């Protein structure tokens, strides 16, 4: 990796076409600068801001893309009502010192006649993929396109979307993409709810009930620290906590191997507790990473 020659910061530049974005990135890489990309769908919150700060520590220029990707939404999902807060987002990006906002139109990303999609086999069909068929094909396709356009040295993702990160990493490896995937910790509200653009959909009661996800993960951490190693037992208590809340409905709660995303029969190596839970009509996800460390396990929530 060449040394990052930090050029003087310029005001945020907004780019709408792939061609201009590619030119700006090429210019940066010719000047031996390190390009960082944070792909987003907008409605930016502290979770995104933490990715931007991480990128600013390593990269210049920093590119944030805002594109609500139709390919990753199912027919009955919230594509039509996904929050759009472009003005607010732009102001935030300016104050965070982001160099480029890449905000393409859908017709720019998927012009008439677009036919290609990326499918990461074996990792895309389970968990989120089972509940949201085609979702990860849409994610992998748009992330690959964004990486091709921006050519980032580093590309930043939040760990809340643990399955997404696993799939993107696999795609980057399989397709020899010259970008490094950087994953950053989950950012939570003071009461533990993982930050998400979809939290905006929650009414007061649903918002309170939604803290059950974090509480159930904390209980699992407590149980593991007291020696529990049986995924069935751990999941039993997680479900009990979630099902106690009348507004919550569990879509799935699983403990899986980090690499294969297959359920484990015993905690070993690195595992993930993955949750998808409806609070009212809003589907929320959350997770905890369990890492074997000598004879004990560290649980990162
Ligand atoms: O995590 C998201 O916001 C989206 O899945 C991503 C990575 C921006 C692709 O549309």
């Amino acid at each position: 990796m060449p040394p990052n020659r930090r050029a003087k910061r310029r005001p945020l530049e907004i780019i709408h076409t792939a061609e201009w974005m590619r030119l700006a990135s090429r210019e940066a890489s010719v000047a031996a600068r390190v390009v960082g990309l944070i792909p987003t769908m907008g409605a930016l919150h502290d979770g995104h801001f933490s990715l931007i700060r991480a990128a600013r520590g390593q990269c210049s220029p920093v590119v944030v893309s805002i594109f609500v990707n139709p390919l990753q939404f199912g027919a009955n999902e919230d594509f039509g009502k996904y929050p759009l807060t472009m003005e607010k987002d732009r102001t935030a990006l300016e104050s965070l010192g982001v160099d480029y906002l890449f905000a393409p139109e859908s017709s720019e990303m998927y012009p008439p006649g677009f036919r290609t999609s990326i499918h990461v086999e074996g990792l895309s069909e389970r968990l989120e993929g089972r509940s949201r068929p085609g979702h990860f094909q849409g994610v992998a396709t748009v992330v690959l396109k964004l990486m091709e356009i921006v050519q980032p040295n580093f590309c930043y993702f939040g760990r809340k979307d643990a399955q997404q990160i696993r799939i993107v990493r696999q795609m980057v490896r399989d397709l020899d993409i010259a970008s490094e995937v950087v994953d950053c910790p989950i950012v939570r509200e003071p009461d533990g709810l993982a930050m998400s653009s979809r939290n905006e959909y929650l009414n007061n009661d649903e918002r309170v009930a939604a803290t059950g996800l974090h509480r159930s993960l904390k209980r699992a951490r407590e149980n593991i620290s007291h020696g529990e190693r049986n995924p069935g037992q751990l999941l039993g208590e997680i479900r009990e906590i979630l099902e106690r809340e009348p507004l919550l409905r569990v879509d799935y709660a699983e403990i899986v191997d980090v690499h294969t995303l297959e359920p484990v029969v015993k905690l070993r190596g690195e595992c993930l507790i993955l949750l998808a839970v409806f609070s009212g009509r809003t589907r929320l996800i959350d997770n905890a990473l369990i890492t074997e460390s000598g004879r004990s396990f560290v649980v990162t929530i």
Side-chain angles (χ1 to χ4, degrees):
M1 175 74 52
N4 189 12
R5 284 206 231 130
R6 194 171 275 279
K8 196 168 171 296
R9 291 251 167 228
R10 293 176 310 175
L12 177 72
E13 191 174 325
I14 303 176
I15 298 183
H16 295 288
T17 68
E19 189 189 349
W20 276 100
M21 189 63 250
R22 199 175 277 118
L23 278 174
S25 278
R26 204 167 285 156
E27 202 180 284
S29 83
V30 166
R33 293 165 67 197
V34 177
V35 179
L37 169 65
I38 299 109
T40 81
M41 298 203 298
L44 303 178
H45 50 68
D46 281 352
H48 298 112
F49 302 154
S50 74
L51 305 181
I52 293 169
R53 287 194 192 96
R56 281 215 51 187
Q58 281 183 299
C59 309
S60 174
V62 171
V63 182
V64 172
S65 64
I66 296 185
F67 177 62
V68 184
N69 173 33
L71 288 193
Q72 69 189 74
F73 290 80
N76 300 319
E77 293 184 350
D78 55 344
F79 176 64
K81 66 164 188 161
Y82 199 82
L84 289 173
T85 55
M86 192 53 102
E87 254 326 284
K88 203 166 140 233
D89 293 349
R90 190 182 58 74
T91 309
L93 297 180
E94 253 160 13
S95 71
L96 285 164
V98 168
D99 300 280
Y100 297 105
L101 163 58
F102 178 47
E105 292 293 331
S106 198
S107 56
E108 178 74 10
M109 293 299 274
Y110 306 122
F114 185 88
R115 287 173 186 278
T116 304
S117 81
I118 303 294
H119 178 57
V120 180
E121 229 176 283
L123 299 174
S124 302
E125 301 82 2
R126 309 203 56 256
L127 301 152
E128 285 299 283
R130 190 176 50 220
S131 301
R132 308 183 64 191
H135 170 67
F136 286 120
Q137 239 158 295
V139 170
T141 304
V142 81
V143 170
L144 179 64
K145 280 188 66 97
L146 291 168
M147 285 177 163
E148 280 298 315
I149 294 166
V150 177
Q151 301 277 321
N153 299 87
F154 295 97
C155 195
Y156 297 80
F157 295 88
R159 287 183 202 147
K160 182 170 71 68
D161 298 294
Q163 189 175 6
Q164 170 169 281
I165 291 178
R166 175 67 189 92
I167 287 169
V168 170
R169 279 192 193 287
Q170 186 72 42
M171 175 185 79
V172 163
R173 196 171 78 190
D174 291 350
L175 300 182
D176 300 305
I177 299 167
S179 290
E180 190 173 318
V181 173
V182 182
D183 56 286
C184 298
I186 297 175
V187 179
R188 297 181 179 279
E189 300 284 356
D191 63 4
L193 179 66
M195 291 209 178
S196 161
S197 306
R198 291 190 168 99
N199 292 351
E200 288 191 19
Y201 300 153
L202 300 168
N203 67 28
N204 285 345
D205 293 340
E206 292 162 352
R207 173 67 186 74
V208 172
T211 59
L213 281 83
H214 182 241
R215 264 184 289 120
S216 73
L217 293 173
K218 278 202 307 189
R219 175 64 62 80
R221 179 170 65 189
E222 227 170 272
N223 289 342
I224 291 170
S225 78
H226 292 140
E228 185 58 76
R229 301 288 180 259
N230 180 332
Q233 291 291 338
L234 292 165
L235 290 170
E237 275 215 45
I238 285 175
R239 278 186 175 276
E240 217 178 284
I241 290 172
L242 295 170
E243 284 163 8
R244 220 177 283 152
E245 292 285 348
L247 288 173
L248 297 186
R249 179 168 61 79
V250 180
D251 182 2
Y252 62 75
E254 291 198 28
I255 302 184
V256 302
D257 177 88
V258 149
H259 304 287
T260 63
L261 300 180
E262 292 292 334
V264 293
V265 288
K266 190 168 175 261
L267 299 190
R268 190 181 320 182
E270 281 191 312
C271 304
L272 282 163
I273 306 175
L274 295 176
L275 304 180
V277 178
F278 285 91
S279 186
R281 292 156 67 94
T282 303
R283 192 167 176 283
L284 303 169
I285 58 173
D286 204 342
N287 68 74
L289 175 68
I290 308 170
T291 312
E292 189 170 2
S293 165
R295 290 159 66 94
S296 62
F297 287 85
V298 177
V299 181
T300 312
I301 297 178

